Amino acid sequence: MSATADHAEERTNPAARLGFQPEQVVQEIGYDDDVDQELREAIEEVIGSDLVDEDYDDVADAVVLWFRDDDGDLTDVLVDAITYIEEGGAILLLTPKTGRDGYVEPSDISEAATTAGLSAAKSVSVGKDWSGSRLVTPPSRANSRPPAPRTYAARDDRSAR
């Protein structure tokens, strides 16, 4: 596929705009009959396989999380979702838009994400009924180097006399 075709796909395929890539393993949580089937199909088209369900027993590259206001505590659900993804992976949190049943306040999303140790990378409209928030895990500190020790030039006490 040419670079121009790649850019055209990013504009037309919401899954590409959201950062999904071929051969990723994407786990879906919170599936119900109200989800956006077109978005699901677009994600599957980009990754080249079916979404895996909540029973998947390995780590995934990303999680698609459908969440409605009456689905429980969002912080708890996000903390659980983090355990399903690889370090540095992303969670696409999908919530009903304003005025729809199950709408979740943006401040509630922000607070839950922060409490769960996630940061919001992008918020987008992903269909007529759903909004998406791309949440990312922070980079691991285990692989980062500690700061180099500070060295000080030895002071020659003789020159100070």
Side-chain angles (χ1 to χ4, degrees):
M1 187 182 290
S2 72
T4 304
D6 284 343
H7 290 293
E9 181 179 0
E10 283 182 21
R11 285 192 306 269
T12 59
N13 185 327
R17 278 195 334 262
L18 293 167
F20 292 102
Q21 304 201 3
E23 300 183 23
Q24 281 187 317
V25 175
V26 179
Q27 187 167 22
E28 183 178 41
I29 300 170
Y31 176 87
D32 206 341
D33 58 2
D34 63 345
V35 302
D36 186 324
Q37 291 298 330
E38 288 180 19
L39 177 61
R40 293 181 78 251
E41 291 167 8
I43 294 169
E44 291 175 340
E45 180 181 324
V46 168
I47 65 173
S49 64
D50 292 342
L51 299 171
V52 296
D53 66 17
E54 296 176 37
D55 295 329
Y56 183 69
D57 62 356
D58 203 352
V59 293
D61 298 302
V63 166
V64 171
L65 172 58
W66 304 93
F67 187 85
R68 301 135 199 101
D69 188 48
D70 58 355
D71 284 348
D73 183 77
L74 180 55
T75 301
D76 290 344
V77 174
L78 290 174
V79 168
D80 290 345
I82 291 169
T83 65
Y84 298 127
I85 56 176
E86 291 212 8
E87 185 177 299
I91 298 171
L92 176 60
L93 173 62
L94 297 160
T95 57
K97 285 186 175 178
T98 306
R100 308 296 197 284
D101 285 343
Y103 171 73
V104 180
E105 291 287 340
S107 60
D108 293 342
I109 294 170
S110 177
E111 181 180 331
T114 301
T115 303
L118 298 165
S119 57
K122 183 192 287 190
S123 292
V124 294
S125 173
V126 293
K128 70 179 182 101
D129 294 324
W130 294 89
S131 292
S133 299
R134 189 168 187 270
L135 308 173
V136 294
T137 58
S140 170
R141 293 179 188 247
N143 295 332
S144 64
R145 285 188 193 174
R150 295 187 73 167
T151 56
Y152 299 95
R155 189 173 139 203
D156 186 352
D157 288 328
R158 287 175 286 166
S159 64
R161 292 182 196 165

mmCIF file of all heavy atoms in Angstrom, residues 74-76 78-79 82 91 93 106-121 133-138:
data_model
loop_
_atom_site.group_PDB
_atom_site.id
_atom_site.type_symbol
_atom_site.label_atom_id
_atom_site.label_comp_id
_atom_site.label_asym_id
_atom_site.label_seq_id
_atom_site.Cartn_x
_atom_site.Cartn_y
_atom_site.Cartn_z
ATOM 1 N N LEU A 74 -15.720 2.666 37.391
ATOM 2 C CA LEU A 74 -14.829 2.793 36.240
ATOM 3 C C LEU A 74 -13.369 2.599 36.643
ATOM 4 O O LEU A 74 -12.604 1.962 35.913
ATOM 5 C CB LEU A 74 -15.029 4.137 35.537
ATOM 6 C CG LEU A 74 -14.148 4.396 34.312
ATOM 7 C CD1 LEU A 74 -14.287 3.287 33.275
ATOM 8 C CD2 LEU A 74 -14.493 5.752 33.701
ATOM 9 N N THR A 75 -12.967 3.117 37.776
ATOM 10 C CA THR A 75 -11.577 2.943 38.209
ATOM 11 C C THR A 75 -11.241 1.464 38.338
ATOM 12 O O THR A 75 -10.195 1.010 37.847
ATOM 13 C CB THR A 75 -11.327 3.663 39.549
ATOM 14 O OG1 THR A 75 -11.621 5.050 39.399
ATOM 15 C CG2 THR A 75 -9.876 3.501 39.988
ATOM 16 N N ASP A 76 -12.110 0.702 38.983
ATOM 17 C CA ASP A 76 -11.875 -0.738 39.145
ATOM 18 C C ASP A 76 -11.785 -1.438 37.793
ATOM 19 O O ASP A 76 -10.925 -2.296 37.582
ATOM 20 C CB ASP A 76 -12.981 -1.389 39.977
ATOM 21 C CG ASP A 76 -12.939 -0.977 41.440
ATOM 22 O OD1 ASP A 76 -11.900 -0.439 41.892
ATOM 23 O OD2 ASP A 76 -13.956 -1.188 42.136
ATOM 24 N N LEU A 78 -10.906 -0.108 34.915
ATOM 25 C CA LEU A 78 -9.655 0.280 34.254
ATOM 26 C C LEU A 78 -8.454 -0.443 34.856
ATOM 27 O O LEU A 78 -7.564 -0.904 34.129
ATOM 28 C CB LEU A 78 -9.454 1.796 34.317
ATOM 29 C CG LEU A 78 -10.396 2.625 33.459
ATOM 30 C CD1 LEU A 78 -10.189 4.113 33.734
ATOM 31 C CD2 LEU A 78 -10.193 2.331 31.970
ATOM 32 N N VAL A 79 -8.418 -0.541 36.185
ATOM 33 C CA VAL A 79 -7.318 -1.263 36.840
ATOM 34 C C VAL A 79 -7.298 -2.716 36.363
ATOM 35 O O VAL A 79 -6.235 -3.270 36.059
ATOM 36 C CB VAL A 79 -7.432 -1.161 38.376
ATOM 37 C CG1 VAL A 79 -6.484 -2.135 39.062
ATOM 38 C CG2 VAL A 79 -7.156 0.261 38.834
ATOM 39 N N ILE A 82 -5.927 -2.963 32.784
ATOM 40 C CA ILE A 82 -4.468 -2.800 32.686
ATOM 41 C C ILE A 82 -3.774 -4.161 32.775
ATOM 42 O O ILE A 82 -2.758 -4.385 32.114
ATOM 43 C CB ILE A 82 -3.953 -1.848 33.792
ATOM 44 C CG1 ILE A 82 -4.432 -0.424 33.528
ATOM 45 C CG2 ILE A 82 -2.431 -1.896 33.893
ATOM 46 C CD1 ILE A 82 -4.200 0.533 34.693
ATOM 47 N N ILE A 91 -5.592 1.446 26.162
ATOM 48 C CA ILE A 91 -6.987 1.070 26.378
ATOM 49 C C ILE A 91 -7.832 2.084 25.634
ATOM 50 O O ILE A 91 -7.689 3.288 25.854
ATOM 51 C CB ILE A 91 -7.353 1.088 27.875
ATOM 52 C CG1 ILE A 91 -6.522 0.066 28.639
ATOM 53 C CG2 ILE A 91 -8.855 0.841 28.069
ATOM 54 C CD1 ILE A 91 -6.658 0.155 30.146
ATOM 55 N N LEU A 93 -11.180 3.411 25.720
ATOM 56 C CA LEU A 93 -12.384 3.457 26.547
ATOM 57 C C LEU A 93 -13.502 4.069 25.719
ATOM 58 O O LEU A 93 -13.404 5.213 25.284
ATOM 59 C CB LEU A 93 -12.129 4.287 27.805
ATOM 60 C CG LEU A 93 -13.341 4.556 28.687
ATOM 61 C CD1 LEU A 93 -13.923 3.260 29.225
ATOM 62 C CD2 LEU A 93 -12.973 5.506 29.815
ATOM 63 N N PRO A 106 -17.154 13.333 31.463
ATOM 64 C CA PRO A 106 -15.713 13.391 31.174
ATOM 65 C C PRO A 106 -14.858 13.529 32.432
ATOM 66 O O PRO A 106 -13.770 12.954 32.516
ATOM 67 C CB PRO A 106 -15.573 14.618 30.276
ATOM 68 C CG PRO A 106 -16.914 14.761 29.624
ATOM 69 C CD PRO A 106 -17.909 14.297 30.659
ATOM 70 N N SER A 107 -15.349 14.261 33.432
ATOM 71 C CA SER A 107 -14.583 14.404 34.675
ATOM 72 C C SER A 107 -14.452 13.062 35.394
ATOM 73 O O SER A 107 -13.419 12.784 36.017
ATOM 74 C CB SER A 107 -15.231 15.441 35.596
ATOM 75 O OG SER A 107 -16.556 15.053 35.931
ATOM 76 N N ASP A 108 -15.473 12.207 35.294
ATOM 77 C CA ASP A 108 -15.403 10.875 35.900
ATOM 78 C C ASP A 108 -14.370 10.014 35.174
ATOM 79 O O ASP A 108 -13.635 9.244 35.803
ATOM 80 C CB ASP A 108 -16.768 10.179 35.863
ATOM 81 C CG ASP A 108 -17.796 10.855 36.751
ATOM 82 O OD1 ASP A 108 -17.409 11.643 37.643
ATOM 83 O OD2 ASP A 108 -19.003 10.600 36.542
ATOM 84 N N ILE A 109 -14.311 10.147 33.852
ATOM 85 C CA ILE A 109 -13.323 9.406 33.060
ATOM 86 C C ILE A 109 -11.915 9.858 33.434
ATOM 87 O O ILE A 109 -11.023 9.042 33.696
ATOM 88 C CB ILE A 109 -13.572 9.600 31.546
ATOM 89 C CG1 ILE A 109 -14.910 8.960 31.152
ATOM 90 C CG2 ILE A 109 -12.412 9.019 30.723
ATOM 91 C CD1 ILE A 109 -15.372 9.289 29.749
ATOM 92 N N SER A 110 -11.715 11.154 33.494
ATOM 93 C CA SER A 110 -10.400 11.703 33.819
ATOM 94 C C SER A 110 -9.942 11.256 35.204
ATOM 95 O O SER A 110 -8.800 10.818 35.393
ATOM 96 C CB SER A 110 -10.451 13.227 33.736
ATOM 97 O OG SER A 110 -9.228 13.781 34.104
ATOM 98 N N GLU A 111 -10.830 11.355 36.180
ATOM 99 C CA GLU A 111 -10.497 10.966 37.552
ATOM 100 C C GLU A 111 -10.181 9.475 37.643
ATOM 101 O O GLU A 111 -9.194 9.072 38.280
ATOM 102 C CB GLU A 111 -11.648 11.316 38.491
ATOM 103 C CG GLU A 111 -11.386 10.973 39.939
ATOM 104 C CD GLU A 111 -12.552 11.324 40.860
ATOM 105 O OE1 GLU A 111 -13.307 12.272 40.555
ATOM 106 O OE2 GLU A 111 -12.703 10.630 41.873
ATOM 107 N N ALA A 112 -10.994 8.644 36.991
ATOM 108 C CA ALA A 112 -10.776 7.192 37.039
ATOM 109 C C ALA A 112 -9.465 6.823 36.343
ATOM 110 O O ALA A 112 -8.705 5.987 36.847
ATOM 111 C CB ALA A 112 -11.955 6.464 36.386
ATOM 112 N N ALA A 113 -9.188 7.448 35.211
ATOM 113 C CA ALA A 113 -7.951 7.155 34.482
ATOM 114 C C ALA A 113 -6.737 7.525 35.318
ATOM 115 O O ALA A 113 -5.786 6.745 35.445
ATOM 116 C CB ALA A 113 -7.932 7.893 33.147
ATOM 117 N N THR A 114 -6.764 8.702 35.917
ATOM 118 C CA THR A 114 -5.648 9.153 36.746
ATOM 119 C C THR A 114 -5.452 8.229 37.942
ATOM 120 O O THR A 114 -4.330 7.819 38.247
ATOM 121 C CB THR A 114 -5.882 10.598 37.220
ATOM 122 O OG1 THR A 114 -6.006 11.440 36.075
ATOM 123 C CG2 THR A 114 -4.742 11.091 38.086
ATOM 124 N N THR A 115 -6.535 7.879 38.606
ATOM 125 C CA THR A 115 -6.456 6.990 39.766
ATOM 126 C C THR A 115 -5.911 5.618 39.374
ATOM 127 O O THR A 115 -5.166 4.995 40.133
ATOM 128 C CB THR A 115 -7.838 6.843 40.435
ATOM 129 O OG1 THR A 115 -8.308 8.147 40.793
ATOM 130 C CG2 THR A 115 -7.780 5.969 41.668
ATOM 131 N N ALA A 116 -6.241 5.155 38.175
ATOM 132 C CA ALA A 116 -5.774 3.850 37.696
ATOM 133 C C ALA A 116 -4.339 3.910 37.170
ATOM 134 O O ALA A 116 -3.774 2.885 36.799
ATOM 135 C CB ALA A 116 -6.711 3.335 36.607
ATOM 136 N N GLY A 117 -3.755 5.113 37.126
ATOM 137 C CA GLY A 117 -2.383 5.246 36.649
ATOM 138 C C GLY A 117 -2.268 5.372 35.146
ATOM 139 O O GLY A 117 -1.212 5.113 34.566
ATOM 140 N N LEU A 118 -3.339 5.782 34.506
ATOM 141 C CA LEU A 118 -3.357 5.947 33.051
ATOM 142 C C LEU A 118 -3.362 7.423 32.702
ATOM 143 O O LEU A 118 -3.770 8.256 33.510
ATOM 144 C CB LEU A 118 -4.607 5.283 32.462
ATOM 145 C CG LEU A 118 -4.732 3.778 32.675
ATOM 146 C CD1 LEU A 118 -6.147 3.320 32.380
ATOM 147 C CD2 LEU A 118 -3.731 3.040 31.808
ATOM 148 N N SER A 119 -2.960 7.721 31.487
ATOM 149 C CA SER A 119 -3.081 9.098 31.021
ATOM 150 C C SER A 119 -3.840 9.097 29.702
ATOM 151 O O SER A 119 -3.706 8.172 28.894
ATOM 152 C CB SER A 119 -1.711 9.761 30.873
ATOM 153 O OG SER A 119 -0.892 9.019 30.002
ATOM 154 N N ALA A 120 -4.651 10.128 29.526
ATOM 155 C CA ALA A 120 -5.448 10.251 28.309
ATOM 156 C C ALA A 120 -4.575 10.776 27.191
ATOM 157 O O ALA A 120 -3.915 11.799 27.333
ATOM 158 C CB ALA A 120 -6.634 11.177 28.541
ATOM 159 N N ALA A 121 -4.542 10.031 26.092
ATOM 160 C CA ALA A 121 -3.728 10.442 24.955
ATOM 161 C C ALA A 121 -4.569 11.130 23.888
ATOM 162 O O ALA A 121 -4.085 11.992 23.179
ATOM 163 C CB ALA A 121 -3.017 9.233 24.347
ATOM 164 N N SER A 133 -11.947 7.419 24.360
ATOM 165 C CA SER A 133 -10.796 8.020 25.024
ATOM 166 C C SER A 133 -9.667 7.011 24.958
ATOM 167 O O SER A 133 -9.821 5.881 25.448
ATOM 168 C CB SER A 133 -11.104 8.333 26.483
ATOM 169 O OG SER A 133 -12.158 9.259 26.592
ATOM 170 N N ARG A 134 -8.570 7.395 24.331
ATOM 171 C CA ARG A 134 -7.410 6.502 24.254
ATOM 172 C C ARG A 134 -6.573 6.758 25.499
ATOM 173 O O ARG A 134 -6.034 7.840 25.694
ATOM 174 C CB ARG A 134 -6.610 6.773 22.985
ATOM 175 C CG ARG A 134 -5.541 5.747 22.747
ATOM 176 C CD ARG A 134 -4.980 5.883 21.335
ATOM 177 N NE ARG A 134 -4.079 4.815 21.048
ATOM 178 C CZ ARG A 134 -2.771 4.866 21.291
ATOM 179 N NH1 ARG A 134 -2.246 5.944 21.821
ATOM 180 N NH2 ARG A 134 -2.000 3.840 21.002
ATOM 181 N N LEU A 135 -6.473 5.741 26.341
ATOM 182 C CA LEU A 135 -5.739 5.833 27.597
ATOM 183 C C LEU A 135 -4.492 4.968 27.492
ATOM 184 O O LEU A 135 -4.558 3.850 26.990
ATOM 185 C CB LEU A 135 -6.613 5.342 28.754
ATOM 186 C CG LEU A 135 -7.999 5.986 28.868
ATOM 187 C CD1 LEU A 135 -8.815 5.289 29.950
ATOM 188 C CD2 LEU A 135 -7.885 7.470 29.137
ATOM 189 N N VAL A 136 -3.378 5.496 27.951
ATOM 190 C CA VAL A 136 -2.126 4.754 27.834
ATOM 191 C C VAL A 136 -1.493 4.530 29.195
ATOM 192 O O VAL A 136 -1.642 5.346 30.106
ATOM 193 C CB VAL A 136 -1.123 5.459 26.893
ATOM 194 C CG1 VAL A 136 -1.639 5.471 25.466
ATOM 195 C CG2 VAL A 136 -0.825 6.865 27.361
ATOM 196 N N THR A 137 -0.793 3.414 29.290
ATOM 197 C CA THR A 137 -0.052 3.118 30.505
ATOM 198 C C THR A 137 1.254 3.898 30.446
ATOM 199 O O THR A 137 1.807 4.099 29.371
ATOM 200 C CB THR A 137 0.228 1.607 30.636
ATOM 201 O OG1 THR A 137 0.947 1.166 29.487
ATOM 202 C CG2 THR A 137 -1.052 0.825 30.792
ATOM 203 N N PRO A 138 1.744 4.335 31.581
ATOM 204 C CA PRO A 138 3.011 5.067 31.567
ATOM 205 C C PRO A 138 4.156 4.125 31.225
ATOM 206 O O PRO A 138 4.057 2.922 31.478
ATOM 207 C CB PRO A 138 3.141 5.603 32.993
ATOM 208 C CG PRO A 138 2.284 4.729 33.818
ATOM 209 C CD PRO A 138 1.195 4.207 32.920
#
